Amino acid sequence: MPDAVVIGAGPNGLVGANILADAGWSVEVLEEQDQPGGAVRSDRGVDPAFVSDVFSAFYPLAAASPALGALRLEDEGLRWSHAPQVLAHPLPDGRCAVLDRDLAATAANLETFAPGDGAAWQDLHAVWDRVGEDLIGCLFAPFPPLRSGMKLLASVRAAGALRLARTMLLPVRRLGEEHFDGEGGRLLLAGNALHADLSPESAVSGGFGWLMCMLAQTHGFPVPVGGAGALTQALVRRLEHRGGRVRCGQRATEVVVRGGRAVGVRTAYGDAVRARRAILADVSAPTLYTRLVAEEHMPPGLLRDLRRTFQWDFSTFKVDWALDRPVPWAAPEAAGAGTVHIADGVDDLTRFAAQIATKHVPDRPFALFGQMTTADPTRSPDGTESAWAYTHVPQDIKGDAGDDGLTGAWDEREQNLMADRLEVRIESYAPGFRDRIRGRRILAPTTLQSLNANLEGGAINGGTTALHQQLVFRPTPGTGRPETPVKGLYLASAGAHPGGGVHGACGANAARAALHTPGLQYAISAAQRAITRRPPKP
């Protein structure tokens, strides 16, 4: 009987499992899919000669994460690689904003958009230099972040703290207008904010865009050498070296509760896996509270909030390509960037977000484009490019802002039409792009969910990034910590604070909560014996 059972072998689940194993606990991880990793996996499904990242690809949050850093995954063979430039945002007139890991290079590029914009970028980075480490500590620590919060307050004077708080709360459109006269800096901030489901007019989109830009400036957007799956493999190897076990093809169907305490997990095969001390659930909040735990064990208010107020983030539509030549960008500066943002300007981003807000499939989708061979030459043969792009669409679709009549059924016809729409958008910035495609794979929202049940409707962040569902409001008001109403059960997924992204903090927070729960040496053998093997529920 293991000390802990972890439901889900995504990065949060594997980080939590490793921390428990480091403390001497025996750990068993149950994963529904036939391989571990959650949204951190790679394959050769587009072309046998190409490595494609199925879900996530670039990992600035992993590079900055104290939880992942403490695991020293380089000792397990993990290596990181960087593209020559981090990020590019070309414009229709041929100009291109470029974020380089060299601060002076980024500033010089932005200076070409407007005099003084380079210095403005350096000023924003100077604030990051002063508070960035403590801010990351606050973001990734359990809420409230008392120790990191005190360090952050000590690093800025009172007026500086107020300015920082205002920056974090600003809409990204306003933040860009306050700091930059030209489009370049504004686009870098706004495009990064749109990595989440935040429009340029949303509160905290400025803070999120600044955070992502400063992570890019400091850490870059690194990728694991050999594919995203290398990060998962390192986590699994580390766990196994410490006696932990990962079992794939094991779908959890019930968290067994006896006397108000979680004592085991039942799988679809009817197996009952007992847990001596704790259960960590790297599953979405609605899945844990409304499907895995019986209703009688949940406070009515929590269930009511989940049904009425919990909000998923935007759905994601992704396409992977095998290109027989590099992307023919009209702006040559985009060729060396690992990530390329495709939008005509901040107004275009607002238009895109407004169409999603009114539940329409955007006619000119904002695209995040990844050049993986540019970032890691091992991904495909010399002279080729392993590439992908994703865009957002509404969770519930009322209509199509374009002319294709997309309904959100995402059958083969709709998938191909949306993929074509995305390619036409890229072609407008890279004439001849479509002629270089030798293979493509479409990952519609329904496909993403079938490959990872946590990606409900193609949502990749475990719930909206908007302010009303962060901190003490995540996943519902008053539930900002990994502890749940059931003793010994911890929410360890992106549904908990601090939310989406590959940083492992949600799993780390859950593991540490389990380790520091008073009275761990309780006698629950009688309750555990009550878990009997029985057929799964129909």
Side-chain angles (χ1 to χ4, degrees):
M1 180 194 308
D3 291 313
V5 174
V6 178
I7 306 173
N12 280 308
L14 291 174
V15 168
N18 269 278
I19 290 173
L20 293 178
D22 286 348
W25 287 27
S26 55
V27 184
E28 189 162 317
V29 183
L30 305 178
E31 169 55 45
E32 176 180 357
Q33 297 295 321
D34 60 3
Q35 58 181 303
V40 183
R41 287 149 58 186
S42 51
D43 66 11
R44 294 181 180 269
V46 181
D47 186 293
F50 288 65
V51 175
S52 300
D53 292 336
V54 183
F55 306 97
S56 57
F58 291 94
Y59 299 109
L61 291 170
S65 168
L68 279 170
L71 298 182
R72 296 185 54 82
L73 295 177
E74 61 272 18
D75 294 344
E76 300 295 337
L78 180 66
R79 293 183 296 136
W80 295 99
S81 182
H82 292 267
Q85 283 80 44
V86 181
L87 170 69
H89 195 133
L91 286 166
D93 61 10
R95 293 178 299 159
C96 187
V98 177
L99 201 165
D100 193 289
R101 282 192 291 159
D102 182 337
L103 178 61
T106 306
N109 171 267
L110 296 184
E111 194 70 15
T112 66
F113 285 86
D117 277 9
W121 183 269
Q122 290 174 319
D123 289 343
L124 285 174
H125 188 261
V127 176
W128 176 262
D129 266 348
R130 189 166 67 249
V131 304
E133 182 177 351
D134 294 329
L135 181 60
I136 288 293
C138 287
L139 291 175
F140 289 163
F143 195 84
L146 299 178
R147 183 179 302 176
S148 297
M150 293 301 294
K151 290 177 65 178
L152 179 62
L153 287 173
S155 66
V156 292
R157 292 176 298 191
L162 290 174
R163 291 191 181 95
L164 177 62
R166 181 178 181 273
T167 294
M168 297 303 293
L169 293 172
L170 275 177
V172 75
R173 178 185 287 275
R174 182 58 193 165
L175 181 65
E177 290 171 349
E178 289 184 4
H179 288 273
F180 299 104
D181 293 327
E183 290 182 88
R186 298 178 183 184
L187 280 171
L188 293 181
L189 290 169
N192 273 288
L194 264 291
H195 284 212
D197 62 326
L198 298 171
S199 76
E201 285 69 43
S202 296
V204 308
S205 62
F208 188 85
W210 174 70
L211 171 68
M212 291 297 293
C213 282
M214 294 303 105
L215 287 172
Q217 186 66 77
T218 306
H219 299 284
F221 281 7
V223 304
V225 172
L231 174 55
T232 294
Q233 292 161 14
L235 284 164
V236 172
R237 280 195 300 270
R238 189 184 188 282
L239 177 63
E240 291 176 343
H241 290 162
R242 286 154 178 79
R245 182 185 181 195
V246 178
R247 294 172 56 199
C248 293
Q250 300 291 322
R251 180 171 64 87
T253 58
E254 181 186 1
V255 173
V256 181
V257 180
R258 296 286 184 267
R261 182 178 297 280
V263 294
V265 176
R266 188 166 283 114
T267 73
Y269 293 107
D271 296 332
V273 185
R274 301 175 183 178
R276 184 177 292 110
R277 296 182 172 186
I279 295 170
L280 272 60
D282 183 9
V283 301
S284 72
T287 293
L288 178 62
Y289 293 132
T290 68
R291 301 175 201 171
L292 293 183
V293 178
E295 184 173 351
E296 62 263 26
H297 304 302
M298 288 288 107
L302 173 59
L303 296 178
R304 184 169 57 249
D305 282 343
L306 279 170
R307 291 170 180 142
R308 294 183 180 179
T309 68
F310 180 84
Q311 180 182 349
W312 288 106
D313 42 304
F314 299 156
S315 294
T316 298
F317 188 99
K318 181 174 181 280
V319 183
D320 298 323
W321 294 281
L323 305 178
D324 59 18
R325 286 171 289 166
V327 181
W329 299 108
E333 299 93 334
T339 300
V340 181
H341 291 167
I342 297 175
D344 295 347
V346 176
D347 288 349
D348 197 31
L349 292 172
T350 294
R351 181 178 182 275
F352 164 79
Q355 288 176 336
I356 294 178
T358 59
K359 300 186 178 182
H360 285 72
V361 179
D363 58 343
R364 297 203 311 267
F366 165 59
L368 288 89
F369 190 95
Q371 302 186 109
M372 303 313 299
T373 308
T374 298
D376 171 17
T378 71
R379 302 298 183 93
S380 67
D382 289 346
T384 67
E385 187 72 62
S386 177
W388 56 264
Y390 79 76
T391 190
H392 293 304
V393 294
Q395 279 275 344
D396 301 307
I397 293 173
K398 287 185 177 179
D400 186 2
D403 300 324
D404 298 317
L406 299 178
T407 66
W410 299 125
D411 55 19
E412 184 176 359
R413 170 187 168 274
E414 290 202 1
Q415 289 187 32
N416 282 305
L417 286 170
M418 188 63 192
D420 291 344
R421 185 179 298 185
L422 200 55
E423 288 180 1
V424 167
R425 185 73 159 140
I426 296 164
E427 182 93 11
S428 69
Y429 285 87
F433 167 75
R434 303 186 84 181
D435 295 335
R436 304 188 177 199
I437 298 172
R438 75 190 218 186
R440 90 174 179 184
R441 172 174 62 188
I442 301 171
L443 298 169
T446 49
T447 315
L448 292 171
Q449 182 175 338
S450 71
L451 295 172
N452 183 345
N454 281 356
L455 308 184
E456 182 85 19
I460 60 177
N461 282 316
T464 181
T465 312
L467 181 60
H468 63 266
Q469 201 163 292
Q470 292 294 343
L471 303 175
V472 294
F473 308 116
R474 190 171 190 90
T476 63
T479 58
R481 292 183 57 82
E483 293 87 350
T484 74
V486 177
K487 294 178 182 179
L489 176 64
Y490 303 87
L491 180 61
S493 70
H497 170 77
V502 179
H503 44 66
C506 305
N509 291 344
R512 289 169 185 146
L515 289 170
H516 292 94
T517 298
L520 276 174
Q521 304 300 325
Y522 45 80
I524 60 170
S525 57
Q528 287 167 337
R529 285 194 296 271
I531 309 175
T532 58
R533 183 183 178 90
R534 68 186 186 208
K537 293 180 179 179

